[in-house]
Amino acid sequence: MLRSADMTAVADVRRALRELLTSRSWGGSGGCDTAELLTSEIVTNALVHTNRGAEVTATLLDGFTASASDLLRVEVRDFVARPPRMRVTDCNGTHGRGLMLVQTLADEWGVRSQGAGKVVWFELYGGPA
């Protein structure tokens, strides 16, 4: 469980994700970098915009079909039902690009209600480095 506004936790989550992906030889350096970036974005959003903490789950599914690469699914659960919203920022803005990055770089992503909150998730197809 990540505490509300504990921004040092974002680096800890990135480090743990990199260790998981490296131990499974998933995605090469580019895939790991993308996974870390997207995870940082959705964890940061949960910690900054909800003020209630979050839970992070990363799951690797090996060769889930005969024709597909390995799948990474990252889920961040928070405890506020309000859905995230995509923001439009100008080129000089310093905030508001997180969900745009997730939408652009993830193979799949979404939001689902869960209890007294929601889960923001993304998936990346990778495979061995």
Side-chain angles (χ1 to χ4, degrees):
M1 175 75 169
L2 307 176
R3 293 183 319 242
S4 173
D6 180 7
M7 301 315 289
T8 61
V10 177
D12 295 338
V13 169
R14 275 195 317 264
R15 189 172 19 265
L17 181 65
R18 175 146 317 251
E19 289 173 9
L20 170 67
L21 299 179
T22 301
S23 74
R24 299 277 295 273
S25 300
W26 184 90
S29 63
C32 287
D33 292 343
T34 300
E36 284 184 59
L37 172 65
L38 300 184
T39 300
S40 293
E41 293 298 336
I42 62 175
V43 169
T44 298
N45 283 351
L47 296 179
V48 168
H49 297 293
T50 67
N51 295 322
R52 300 229 179 116
E55 296 174 350
V56 180
T57 305
T59 307
L60 277 171
L61 301 172
D62 295 327
F64 56 95
T65 69
S67 62
S69 300
D70 295 346
L71 172 74
L72 168 66
R73 182 179 179 100
V74 175
E75 298 183 343
V76 177
R77 178 175 186 225
D78 64 49
F79 303 94
V80 174
R82 180 182 68 249
R85 63 182 176 90
M86 194 88 60
R87 295 184 180 173
V88 177
T89 62
D90 65 29
C91 62
N92 295 319
T94 58
H95 300 287
R97 292 183 178 85
L99 287 180
M100 188 179 305
L101 286 170
V102 174
Q103 180 178 8
T104 301
L105 297 174
D107 292 307
E108 301 286 337
W109 81 283
V111 181
R112 74 172 188 274
S113 296
Q114 183 167 333
K118 66 184 166 299
V119 173
V120 179
W121 59 269
F122 71 86
E123 294 177 343
L124 292 171
Y125 303 105

